Amino acid sequence: MGKQRDLSTGIVAQIQALRQQGLTQTKIAEQLGISQSSVCKALKKNCSKRTNCSGIRKTSARDNKQLRKIAVSNRFKSTSELTDLWNKQTGADVSRSTTYRRLRELGFKSRVPAVKPMLNKKQMEKRLKWAKEHGEWTVEDWQKVVFSDESRFCISFGDQGPRVWRRGGETYNHECVKRSVKFPQSVMVWGCMSARGVGKLCFLKKTVNAAVYQDVLETFLIPTVEEQFGEEDFIFQQDLAPAHAAKSTKDWFTKKQLEVLAWPANSTDLNVIENLWAIVKRKIRDRKPTTLDQLKQNIATAWEAVSAETCDKPVKSMPRRLQAVIQAKGAATKY
Protein backbone atom coordinates (compact mmCIF):
# COMPACT_ATOMS: atom_id res chain seq x y z
CA MET A 1 0.00 0.00 0.00
CA GLY A 2 1.34 3.44 -0.99
CA LYS A 3 1.82 6.38 1.26
CA GLN A 4 -1.46 8.00 2.33
CA ARG A 5 -2.10 11.39 0.66
CA ASP A 6 -2.22 14.41 2.98
CA LEU A 7 -5.66 15.86 3.66
CA SER A 8 -6.62 19.16 2.07
CA THR A 9 -6.75 22.32 4.13
CA GLY A 10 -10.53 22.36 3.80
CA ILE A 11 -10.94 18.81 5.19
CA VAL A 12 -8.59 19.60 8.08
CA ALA A 13 -10.66 22.69 8.89
CA GLN A 14 -13.84 20.59 8.90
CA ILE A 15 -12.21 18.03 11.21
CA GLN A 16 -11.24 20.77 13.65
CA ALA A 17 -14.71 22.30 13.56
CA LEU A 18 -16.47 19.00 14.17
CA ARG A 19 -14.04 18.20 16.99
CA GLN A 20 -14.89 21.53 18.63
CA GLN A 21 -18.56 20.53 18.44
CA GLY A 22 -17.73 17.51 20.58
CA LEU A 23 -17.83 14.74 17.98
CA THR A 24 -15.58 11.73 18.48
CA GLN A 25 -12.91 10.81 15.97
CA THR A 26 -15.03 7.86 14.83
CA LYS A 27 -18.05 10.07 14.17
CA ILE A 28 -15.93 12.65 12.33
CA ALA A 29 -14.42 9.93 10.12
CA GLU A 30 -17.86 8.55 9.27
CA GLN A 31 -19.29 11.98 8.48
CA LEU A 32 -16.40 13.03 6.22
CA GLY A 33 -15.88 9.62 4.64
CA ILE A 34 -12.24 9.29 5.67
CA SER A 35 -10.32 6.92 7.95
CA GLN A 36 -10.13 7.47 11.70
CA SER A 37 -6.33 7.40 11.49
CA SER A 38 -6.49 10.38 9.11
CA VAL A 39 -8.67 12.26 11.58
CA CYS A 40 -6.27 11.45 14.40
CA LYS A 41 -3.27 12.52 12.35
CA ALA A 42 -4.91 15.82 11.42
CA LEU A 43 -5.82 16.60 15.01
CA LYS A 44 -2.33 15.76 16.26
CA LYS A 45 -0.71 17.88 13.55
CA ASN A 46 -2.93 20.82 14.45
CA CYS A 47 -2.29 20.25 18.16
CA SER A 48 1.47 20.51 17.72
CA LYS A 49 1.04 24.09 16.47
CA ARG A 50 -0.99 25.21 19.48
CA THR A 51 -0.03 25.94 23.04
CA ASN A 52 -3.26 24.59 24.53
CA CYS A 53 -4.75 21.49 22.93
CA SER A 54 -6.93 20.30 25.79
CA GLY A 55 -10.10 21.00 23.83
CA ILE A 56 -13.55 21.11 25.38
CA ARG A 57 -14.25 18.50 28.04
CA LYS A 58 -17.31 16.57 27.00
CA THR A 59 -18.19 15.42 30.51
CA SER A 60 -19.24 17.37 33.56
CA ALA A 61 -18.46 16.68 37.21
CA ARG A 62 -21.93 15.17 37.48
CA ASP A 63 -21.24 12.86 34.52
CA ASN A 64 -17.98 11.76 36.11
CA LYS A 65 -19.74 11.02 39.39
CA GLN A 66 -22.18 8.82 37.48
CA LEU A 67 -19.26 7.00 35.84
CA ARG A 68 -17.81 6.30 39.29
CA LYS A 69 -21.10 4.66 40.34
CA ILE A 70 -21.22 2.63 37.13
CA ALA A 71 -17.63 1.40 37.58
CA VAL A 72 -18.21 0.40 41.20
CA SER A 73 -21.35 -1.52 40.24
CA ASN A 74 -19.75 -3.22 37.22
CA ARG A 75 -16.23 -4.14 38.30
CA PHE A 76 -15.69 -6.77 35.60
CA LYS A 77 -17.09 -4.85 32.61
CA SER A 78 -14.73 -3.82 29.81
CA THR A 79 -14.05 -0.17 28.99
CA SER A 80 -16.31 -0.46 25.94
CA GLU A 81 -19.15 -1.87 28.03
CA LEU A 82 -18.74 0.86 30.64
CA THR A 83 -18.79 3.44 27.82
CA ASP A 84 -22.11 2.09 26.54
CA LEU A 85 -23.63 2.14 30.03
CA TRP A 86 -22.35 5.67 30.65
CA ASN A 87 -23.73 6.97 27.37
CA LYS A 88 -27.14 5.39 28.01
CA GLN A 89 -27.44 6.70 31.56
CA THR A 90 -26.21 10.24 30.91
CA GLY A 91 -27.27 10.78 27.30
CA ALA A 92 -23.67 11.65 26.44
CA ASP A 93 -21.77 10.57 23.35
CA VAL A 94 -18.29 9.83 24.66
CA SER A 95 -15.71 7.50 23.17
CA ARG A 96 -14.01 4.54 24.76
CA SER A 97 -10.79 6.55 25.13
CA THR A 98 -12.64 9.30 27.00
CA THR A 99 -14.12 6.74 29.37
CA TYR A 100 -10.68 5.26 29.93
CA ARG A 101 -9.18 8.68 30.73
CA ARG A 102 -11.99 9.56 33.14
CA LEU A 103 -11.64 6.23 34.91
CA ARG A 104 -7.93 6.90 35.38
CA GLU A 105 -8.72 10.37 36.72
CA LEU A 106 -11.17 8.77 39.17
CA GLY A 107 -8.42 6.43 40.42
CA PHE A 108 -9.54 3.25 38.63
CA LYS A 109 -6.96 0.98 36.98
CA SER A 110 -7.54 -2.21 35.04
CA ARG A 111 -5.72 -5.06 36.79
CA VAL A 112 -5.69 -8.86 36.81
CA PRO A 113 -8.14 -9.75 39.63
CA ALA A 114 -6.91 -11.55 42.71
CA VAL A 115 -8.19 -15.13 42.95
CA LYS A 116 -9.92 -16.16 46.16
CA PRO A 117 -12.08 -19.18 47.11
CA MET A 118 -15.82 -18.75 46.68
CA LEU A 119 -17.50 -18.02 50.03
CA ASN A 120 -21.23 -18.30 50.56
CA LYS A 121 -23.14 -16.44 53.27
CA LYS A 122 -23.04 -19.33 55.73
CA GLN A 123 -19.29 -19.80 55.32
CA MET A 124 -18.70 -16.09 55.83
CA GLU A 125 -20.74 -16.17 59.03
CA LYS A 126 -18.70 -19.11 60.33
CA ARG A 127 -15.42 -17.40 59.42
CA LEU A 128 -16.50 -14.27 61.26
CA LYS A 129 -17.55 -16.28 64.33
CA TRP A 130 -14.29 -18.25 64.29
CA ALA A 131 -12.20 -15.08 64.01
CA LYS A 132 -13.99 -13.51 66.96
CA GLU A 133 -13.61 -16.68 69.05
CA HIS A 134 -9.85 -16.72 68.42
CA GLY A 135 -9.37 -12.96 68.44
CA GLU A 136 -7.81 -13.02 71.91
CA TRP A 137 -5.12 -15.50 70.93
CA THR A 138 -1.64 -14.05 71.21
CA VAL A 139 1.31 -14.58 68.88
CA GLU A 140 2.66 -17.04 71.47
CA ASP A 141 -0.57 -19.06 71.18
CA TRP A 142 -0.26 -19.24 67.39
CA GLN A 143 3.39 -20.26 67.66
CA LYS A 144 2.16 -23.51 69.23
CA VAL A 145 0.11 -24.40 66.13
CA VAL A 146 1.33 -26.81 63.44
CA PHE A 147 -0.19 -25.77 60.12
CA SER A 148 -0.66 -28.28 57.30
CA ASP A 149 -1.95 -28.49 53.75
CA GLU A 150 -1.58 -30.17 50.37
CA SER A 151 -0.40 -28.36 47.25
CA ARG A 152 0.02 -29.29 43.60
CA PHE A 153 3.24 -28.46 41.74
CA CYS A 154 3.35 -28.52 37.92
CA ILE A 155 6.24 -28.57 35.50
CA SER A 156 4.27 -26.02 33.48
CA PHE A 157 3.13 -23.01 35.50
CA GLY A 158 0.23 -21.97 33.27
CA ASP A 159 0.12 -18.31 32.32
CA GLN A 160 3.00 -17.38 34.59
CA GLY A 161 6.44 -17.00 33.13
CA PRO A 162 8.47 -14.72 30.87
CA ARG A 163 7.03 -12.41 28.21
CA VAL A 164 8.29 -12.45 24.64
CA TRP A 165 9.68 -9.60 22.54
CA ARG A 166 8.13 -9.75 19.06
CA ARG A 167 7.19 -7.53 16.12
CA GLY A 168 3.98 -7.24 14.16
CA GLY A 169 3.13 -10.45 12.32
CA GLU A 170 5.37 -12.60 14.54
CA THR A 171 2.68 -13.80 16.94
CA TYR A 172 2.84 -17.43 15.80
CA ASN A 173 6.49 -17.58 14.78
CA HIS A 174 8.17 -20.74 16.05
CA GLU A 175 10.60 -18.83 18.29
CA CYS A 176 7.87 -16.58 19.71
CA VAL A 177 5.31 -19.10 21.01
CA LYS A 178 5.20 -20.76 24.40
CA ARG A 179 4.57 -24.51 24.33
CA SER A 180 1.77 -25.94 26.45
CA VAL A 181 0.48 -29.43 27.10
CA LYS A 182 -3.11 -30.46 27.76
CA PHE A 183 -2.31 -32.35 30.94
CA PRO A 184 0.96 -31.01 32.41
CA GLN A 185 3.01 -33.30 34.60
CA SER A 186 2.52 -32.55 38.27
CA VAL A 187 2.96 -33.87 41.79
CA MET A 188 0.81 -33.44 44.88
CA VAL A 189 2.66 -32.66 48.09
CA TRP A 190 1.61 -32.69 51.76
CA GLY A 191 3.56 -30.59 54.21
CA CYS A 192 3.39 -29.04 57.64
CA MET A 193 5.11 -26.17 59.42
CA SER A 194 5.13 -24.17 62.62
CA ALA A 195 6.88 -21.06 63.87
CA ARG A 196 9.85 -23.33 64.62
CA GLY A 197 10.41 -24.42 61.01
CA VAL A 198 9.20 -26.67 58.24
CA GLY A 199 8.16 -30.26 58.84
CA LYS A 200 8.61 -33.48 56.90
CA LEU A 201 7.48 -33.30 53.29
CA CYS A 202 5.43 -36.08 51.67
CA PHE A 203 5.02 -36.66 47.93
CA LEU A 204 1.56 -38.20 47.53
CA LYS A 205 1.47 -41.06 45.05
CA LYS A 206 -2.27 -41.77 45.00
CA THR A 207 -5.65 -40.32 45.83
CA VAL A 208 -5.78 -39.29 49.47
CA ASN A 209 -8.54 -41.10 51.33
CA ALA A 210 -8.85 -41.39 55.10
CA ALA A 211 -6.51 -44.39 55.35
CA VAL A 212 -3.82 -42.77 53.18
CA TYR A 213 -4.08 -39.53 55.13
CA GLN A 214 -3.69 -41.27 58.46
CA ASP A 215 -0.60 -43.03 57.15
CA VAL A 216 0.83 -39.64 56.08
CA LEU A 217 0.19 -38.23 59.55
CA GLU A 218 1.81 -41.24 61.20
CA THR A 219 4.87 -41.16 58.95
CA PHE A 220 5.44 -37.42 58.54
CA LEU A 221 3.51 -35.43 61.16
CA ILE A 222 4.47 -37.43 64.25
CA PRO A 223 8.25 -37.25 63.63
CA THR A 224 7.92 -33.51 62.93
CA VAL A 225 6.14 -32.63 66.18
CA GLU A 226 8.43 -34.89 68.19
CA GLU A 227 11.42 -33.05 66.74
CA GLN A 228 10.00 -29.54 67.07
CA PHE A 229 7.99 -29.76 70.31
CA GLY A 230 9.21 -32.81 72.19
CA GLU A 231 7.03 -33.02 75.32
CA GLU A 232 5.56 -29.53 74.84
CA ASP A 233 1.90 -29.03 73.95
CA PHE A 234 0.92 -28.10 70.40
CA ILE A 235 -2.25 -27.86 68.30
CA PHE A 236 -2.61 -29.36 64.83
CA GLN A 237 -4.34 -27.45 62.02
CA GLN A 238 -5.93 -29.01 58.94
CA ASP A 239 -8.64 -27.98 56.50
CA LEU A 240 -12.00 -29.67 56.01
CA ALA A 241 -11.10 -32.05 53.17
CA PRO A 242 -13.15 -35.30 53.29
CA ALA A 243 -10.16 -37.42 54.33
CA HIS A 244 -9.41 -34.98 57.16
CA ALA A 245 -12.98 -34.87 58.46
CA ALA A 246 -13.63 -38.63 58.22
CA LYS A 247 -14.74 -40.39 61.40
CA SER A 248 -11.80 -42.80 61.26
CA THR A 249 -9.41 -39.82 61.07
CA LYS A 250 -11.08 -38.22 64.08
CA ASP A 251 -10.69 -41.53 65.92
CA TRP A 252 -7.00 -41.56 64.95
CA PHE A 253 -6.47 -38.13 66.53
CA THR A 254 -8.30 -39.25 69.68
CA LYS A 255 -6.16 -42.36 69.91
CA LYS A 256 -2.98 -40.29 69.48
CA GLN A 257 -4.28 -37.69 71.97
CA LEU A 258 -3.65 -34.86 69.50
CA GLU A 259 -5.59 -31.61 69.76
CA VAL A 260 -6.97 -30.44 66.42
CA LEU A 261 -7.82 -26.79 65.77
CA ALA A 262 -11.38 -26.21 64.55
CA TRP A 263 -11.13 -24.63 61.10
CA PRO A 264 -13.58 -22.64 58.91
CA ALA A 265 -14.18 -23.80 55.34
CA ASN A 266 -12.48 -22.15 52.34
CA SER A 267 -10.05 -20.20 54.50
CA THR A 268 -6.70 -20.41 52.74
CA ASP A 269 -6.09 -16.78 53.72
CA LEU A 270 -5.85 -17.95 57.34
CA ASN A 271 -3.47 -20.84 56.68
CA VAL A 272 0.09 -19.48 56.83
CA ILE A 273 1.57 -22.50 55.10
CA GLU A 274 0.25 -20.95 51.87
CA ASN A 275 3.05 -18.39 52.21
CA LEU A 276 5.61 -21.17 52.14
CA TRP A 277 4.04 -22.88 49.13
CA ALA A 278 4.28 -19.56 47.28
CA ILE A 279 7.97 -19.21 48.17
CA VAL A 280 8.75 -22.74 46.98
CA LYS A 281 6.80 -22.30 43.73
CA ARG A 282 8.68 -19.11 42.91
CA LYS A 283 11.98 -20.93 43.34
CA ILE A 284 10.79 -23.86 41.22
CA ARG A 285 9.72 -21.49 38.46
CA ASP A 286 13.19 -19.96 38.38
CA ARG A 287 14.85 -23.37 38.09
CA LYS A 288 12.56 -24.54 35.24
CA PRO A 289 12.49 -28.33 35.84
CA THR A 290 11.72 -30.44 32.77
CA THR A 291 11.08 -33.85 34.37
CA LEU A 292 9.11 -35.07 37.38
CA ASP A 293 12.30 -36.22 39.09
CA GLN A 294 13.81 -32.74 38.69
CA LEU A 295 10.57 -31.19 39.93
CA LYS A 296 10.52 -33.34 43.06
CA GLN A 297 14.18 -32.67 43.79
CA ASN A 298 13.71 -28.94 43.36
CA ILE A 299 10.66 -28.94 45.63
CA ALA A 300 12.51 -30.84 48.36
CA THR A 301 15.55 -28.57 48.10
CA ALA A 302 13.49 -25.38 48.20
CA TRP A 303 11.40 -26.66 51.12
CA GLU A 304 14.42 -27.60 53.21
CA ALA A 305 15.94 -24.17 52.55
CA VAL A 306 13.03 -22.36 54.23
CA SER A 307 14.34 -21.01 57.54
CA ALA A 308 12.61 -20.91 60.91
CA GLU A 309 12.59 -17.11 60.69
CA THR A 310 10.70 -17.32 57.40
CA CYS A 311 8.17 -19.64 59.03
CA ASP A 312 7.75 -17.47 62.11
CA LYS A 313 7.01 -14.29 60.18
CA PRO A 314 3.58 -15.32 58.76
CA VAL A 315 2.67 -17.00 62.06
CA LYS A 316 3.12 -13.65 63.77
CA SER A 317 0.61 -12.19 61.32
CA MET A 318 -2.24 -14.40 62.57
CA PRO A 319 -3.75 -11.76 64.92
CA ARG A 320 -3.81 -9.32 62.00
CA ARG A 321 -5.39 -11.92 59.72
CA LEU A 322 -8.20 -12.48 62.20
CA GLN A 323 -8.80 -8.76 62.51
CA ALA A 324 -8.94 -8.54 58.71
CA VAL A 325 -11.61 -11.26 58.63
CA ILE A 326 -13.61 -9.41 61.29
CA GLN A 327 -13.34 -6.12 59.39
CA ALA A 328 -14.39 -7.90 56.18
CA LYS A 329 -17.35 -9.49 58.07
CA GLY A 330 -16.15 -12.94 57.10
CA ALA A 331 -15.36 -12.19 53.46
CA ALA A 332 -12.00 -12.91 51.81
CA THR A 333 -9.03 -10.81 52.90
CA LYS A 334 -5.77 -9.68 51.28
CA TYR A 335 -3.83 -12.55 52.89
Side-chain angles (χ1 to χ4, degrees), residues 157-283:
F157 285 91
D159 293 332
Q160 301 177 25
R163 293 174 177 267
V164 61
W165 288 101
R166 69 186 185 211
R167 294 162 295 190
E170 294 183 336
T171 302
Y172 299 105
N173 280 17
H174 180 77
E175 64 271 17
C176 294
V177 298
K178 179 180 178 182
R179 274 68 184 174
S180 65
V181 292
K182 190 172 183 179
F183 302 105
Q185 290 183 298
S186 64
V187 294
M188 182 67 78
V189 179
W190 178 91
C192 63
M193 55 81 68
S194 73
R196 305 185 182 192
V198 296
K200 309 295 183 183
L201 200 64
C202 174
F203 290 96
L204 301 169
K205 299 180 180 180
K206 50 187 174 181
T207 302
V208 179
N209 55 28
V212 172
Y213 182 57
Q214 292 159 34
D215 184 58
V216 169
L217 296 176
E218 184 74 51
T219 307
F220 298 91
L221 172 64
I222 297 301
T224 294
V225 295
E226 288 178 347
E227 179 181 317
Q228 291 190 2
F229 291 90
E231 298 299 321
E232 298 179 47
D233 292 333
F234 70 92
I235 302 174
F236 179 64
Q237 178 277 336
Q238 60 178 3
D239 61 25
L240 301 180
H244 304 178
K247 183 181 182 302
S248 60
T249 301
K250 293 179 180 178
D251 292 340
W252 184 90
F253 283 117
T254 300
K255 180 180 178 181
K256 295 292 183 178
Q257 298 182 333
L258 298 181
E259 182 179 356
V260 179
L261 179 64
W263 197 253
N266 284 354
S267 295
T268 54
D269 54 346
L270 293 172
N271 192 349
V272 298
I273 199 174
E274 297 295 335
N275 294 60
L276 302 197
W277 292 140
I279 291 171
V280 173
K281 287 180 179 180
R282 282 197 298 271
K283 292 183 177 180

Side-chain angles (χ1 to χ4, degrees), residues 4 7 11-12 14-15 18 25-40 42:
Q4 197 172 37
L7 298 175
I11 294 294
V12 173
Q14 290 182 60
I15 291 173
L18 292 172
Q25 293 183 17
T26 302
K27 294 290 185 182
I28 295 172
E30 291 176 355
Q31 187 165 327
L32 298 180
I34 59 179
S35 67
Q36 184 178 345
S37 61
S38 296
V39 175
C40 180

Side-chain angles (χ1 to χ4, degrees), residues 157 280-289 298-299:
F157 285 91
V280 173
K281 287 180 179 180
R282 282 197 298 271
K283 292 183 177 180
I284 300 303
R285 193 175 300 119
D286 293 338
R287 293 170 182 169
K288 298 179 177 62
N298 288 343
I299 294 170

Side-chain angles (χ1 to χ4, degrees), residues 48 62 68 168-169 190 197 317:
S48 64
R62 184 175 182 178
R68 182 188 290 111
W190 178 91
S317 73

